[in-house]
Amino acid sequence: MKRKSLVLPVVAGLLAPVLVACGGSDGSSGSGDAIVVGTTDQFTTTKESPAPLDPAFAYDTGSWNILRQSLQTLMHVPRGGGAPVPEAASNCRFSDNQNESYRCELRDGLKFPGGADITSKDVKFSIERVLDINSEAGAVGLLANIDTIETPSDAEVIFHLKTPDATFPYKLSTPIAGIVDPESYDGKKLRDGFEVNGSGPYSFKAEVKGDRIVKAVFTKNDSYKGDLKLRNTKVELRSYPDAAAMGKALDSGEIDVMSRTMSPEQIEQMAAQPKDSIALTEMPGLEIRYLAFDTDEPAVKEKAVRQAVAALVDRGQIASEVYGSTAEPLYSLIPATVTAHTNSFFNKYGEPDRAEAQRLLEEAGVQTPVKFTLNYTTDHYGEATVKEFETLKKQLNSSGLFDVDTKGAEWSKFRPAQTRGDYAVYGMGWFPDFPDPDSYIAPFLDTDNFLNAPYANKKVIGNLIPQSRREAERSAAAKSFVEIQDIVAEDVPVLPLWQGKQYVAAADDISGVEWALNPSGELLFWELGTGSAV
């Protein structure tokens, strides 16, 4: 039977599925056979990236996808989105009126894989370990607002924050806050390699060849105590070199599910010519792509240069010619599907305008053509990235105002070089750490930003971001976010390009797919099953 694409809209920035599940089955995988998931994500250890699966270091969707299944966090975002709910905790709450003190009580019976009980001291160790290691490549900025951690009893942990932060429960739901075993993780240094020991819903084992994972096996953790309900007993994750190879594996039945990263052509073909045995599920667009600028680099230090790029880039051409129906132009860091979005870049620059770009450069006394290299990663966001950057190059160079080149590198080399500040201009993608506008702003503009970027706006850091976090009712923070987006359009430390939809393709006997992809682009394995979804 042919299956139609399912479009799941976003409400207030959260995933809100509209598919009504069918009854008649408990949806569990009774045979014990693994559900096999394909990915083009590459998991590699290098000298510069020795610990890709350490929660203190990992900060990309592929690695977080593994950690999400195997580590437990105090909170988690429930199926379909919404405010975080307890996971390893039995309950959590702000214990003051200022959102500066957050108290959690642990569930009974939590255990590490070796059988040791998990206590509040282990939670404290896990969080303080991230802060002490302070990896530039990691997501330490999410936890940087923690002042002290108190453990009044084995079951109780209290986080005292430096400033009010209504988004803190979301941050405790991310893999950076995963609870790790002090017997397996050093408190002061990263854990090299591919081992993960946690109390999450699955135990994890990697099959490694050389310095790469070729297959990862996730087996139901019988000792797991938490809020998640597993619909299978085993999932295998297999890595493929490209979308075409992954697609062939799905067609042949070698894998059951694929998501990251299908090519635009693959998606459009599957939508136009659906196959009897495969269903394509479409999810809302929470992924964004952007250019980032090292504002200390001479080539782009002058604001007028960055503004001229913003005035020339044709987002519509990139979306239509490179990504087709899978992407839409984006004129702000906050995508159009998220509350507080405003088209700041379009409001300031309008349609691509060479005359405006020339005026900006001339008034600033910038000599043309301006030369720099557009850097991108060749293997992390899909093969269309090459065409995207060639299109950007042509757009800028055809104006006569720029003389730019392009250069690609594997993610394992690209990310360390970007963090070091080796690139003046580079392209990256972003899924939100959690479904809130803050997750499209603070990671780029706050202190301890994940780009390790030199750009710092005092009003954004000292006033607007803290002001937005004081609002427990998140819609009340919209005014601050709108002002931040306008500042970004003026200063252009980053240049949003497009936002993309998310897709999962699966064999038609796999259920739960519509619930499995979360706002961060991670596939929640426990939602996958055979039979009817529940």
Side-chain angles (χ1 to χ4, degrees), residues 273-301:
Q273 301 175 350
K275 298 180 180 179
D276 290 344
S277 58
I278 296 173
L280 179 67
T281 302
E282 179 183 301
M283 309 289 278
L286 294 181
E287 177 187 14
I288 69 170
R289 298 287 177 87
Y290 60 92
L291 287 180
F293 300 88
D294 184 335
T295 53
D296 280 351
E297 282 291 323
V300 294
K301 187 172 185 178

Side-chain angles (χ1 to χ4, degrees), residues 50-68:
L53 299 183
D54 189 316
F57 180 87
Y59 202 13
D60 64 85
T61 301
S63 296
W64 271 25
N65 197 60
I66 288 178
L67 297 179
R68 185 75 71 179

Side-chain angles (χ1 to χ4, degrees), residues 219-266:
T219 306
K220 181 182 178 181
N221 175 11
D222 290 331
S223 298
Y224 168 72
K225 302 289 185 182
D227 190 54
L228 305 174
K229 304 295 186 282
L230 278 67
R231 302 185 59 247
N232 59 70
T233 58
K234 183 184 288 186
V235 175
E236 288 185 7
L237 182 69
R238 299 181 185 176
S239 188
Y240 291 88
D242 52 45
M246 183 171 61
K248 289 180 180 178
L250 182 65
D251 288 342
S252 69
E254 181 180 307
I255 62 175
D256 301 300
V257 183
M258 68 176 186
S259 179
R260 283 179 52 87
T261 300
M262 291 184 276
S263 70
E265 295 81 9
Q266 205 171 40

Side-chain angles (χ1 to χ4, degrees), residues 326-395:
T326 68
E328 297 177 352
L330 179 63
Y331 297 93
S332 168
L333 276 176
I334 300 175
T337 42
V338 174
T339 301
H341 164 83
T342 184
N343 287 316
S344 297
F345 275 84
F346 188 84
N347 295 340
K348 183 170 180 61
Y349 302 100
E351 297 291 348
D353 188 340
R354 184 196 179 281
E356 174 63 8
Q358 183 174 11
R359 182 191 68 79
L360 289 164
L361 295 171
E362 287 179 350
E363 289 186 358
V366 176
Q367 291 187 338
T368 57
V370 180
K371 296 184 179 182
F372 57 77
T373 298
L374 292 169
N375 295 275
Y376 64 93
T377 174
T378 57
D379 62 341
H380 194 64
Y381 302 118
E383 52 230 60
T385 307
V386 177
K387 185 177 179 181
E388 176 183 356
F389 275 77
E390 286 302 313
T391 302
L392 280 167
K393 173 182 174 180
K394 290 177 183 178
Q395 289 179 357

Side-chain angles (χ1 to χ4, degrees), residues 75 83-84 94 96-102 145 161 163-172 434 436 438 465-475 477:
M75 306 288 285
F94 281 106
D96 66 335
N97 294 327
Q98 302 299 317
N99 294 338
E100 286 185 311
S101 183
Y102 197 69
N145 192 35
L161 307 181
T163 59
D165 186 3
T167 70
F168 188 67
Y170 282 109
K171 294 170 181 176
L172 289 182
F434 49 86
D436 186 276
D438 182 273
I465 290 178
Q467 182 176 297
S468 73
R469 289 174 175 170
R470 293 189 189 101
E471 304 292 349
E473 175 54 55
R474 299 307 293 149
S475 61

